[in-house]
Amino acid sequence: MEKKFKIRKDDTVQVIAGKDKGKRGTVVRVIAKKDAVIVSGVNMVKKAMRKRSQQDQGGIAEIEAPLNISNVAIVCKKCGPTKIGFKIDGDKKTRVCRKCGEAL
């Protein structure tokens, strides 16, 4: 059975723990097997890249490394970083902000 996370791709999140605490970015990818997310511009690491073709230089590149999903919080437009609740109306299930109740 696949894990279900409340944070999805293209959500705006804020890092709440670790070396990049306080930084915001959008989720590029959710890695369910590792309970991790990749956030744009956050947790940058240097990686040695192999030269693949004549045009591709290779060398040392900076890429985003995965963060544990527990170290990020979704950002509500009104009240900042928050937890996610769910509201069910009819057959629709929507994610809502726990602080102000606005749909995320």
Side-chain angles (χ1 to χ4, degrees):
M1 197 178 133
E2 196 173 312
K3 292 177 188 167
K4 286 288 232 176
F5 294 116
K6 294 176 181 180
I7 292 173
R8 300 186 194 140
K9 187 180 174 184
D10 295 328
D11 282 342
T12 303
V13 293
Q14 183 169 331
V15 180
I16 54 172
K19 66 172 187 175
D20 290 324
K21 186 176 177 176
K23 285 190 184 175
R24 288 185 183 190
T26 55
V27 175
V28 179
R29 199 168 140 220
V30 177
I31 307 164
K33 283 182 182 174
K34 292 183 179 177
D35 297 353
V37 288
I38 296 176
V39 183
S40 61
V42 176
N43 199 22
M44 300 299 284
V45 292
K46 285 181 165 57
K47 183 179 177 187
M49 301 294 267
R50 178 171 276 134
K51 186 175 174 180
R52 283 204 211 100
S53 64
Q54 209 68 40
Q55 291 84 30
D56 181 33
Q57 286 295 307
I60 295 167
E62 279 216 11
I63 61 159
E64 292 118 354
L67 282 164
N68 194 292
I69 204 154
S70 66
N71 294 336
V72 295
I74 195 157
V75 176
C76 174
K77 289 174 184 75
K78 276 188 188 174
C79 42
T82 183
K83 290 185 175 178
I84 301 172
F86 289 98
K87 191 176 269 182
I88 300 165
D89 30 287
D91 57 343
K92 279 207 173 122
K93 186 177 179 183
T94 54
R95 298 184 303 162
V96 294
C97 170
R98 284 260 188 95
K99 291 179 185 173
C100 64
E102 195 169 307
L104 293 167

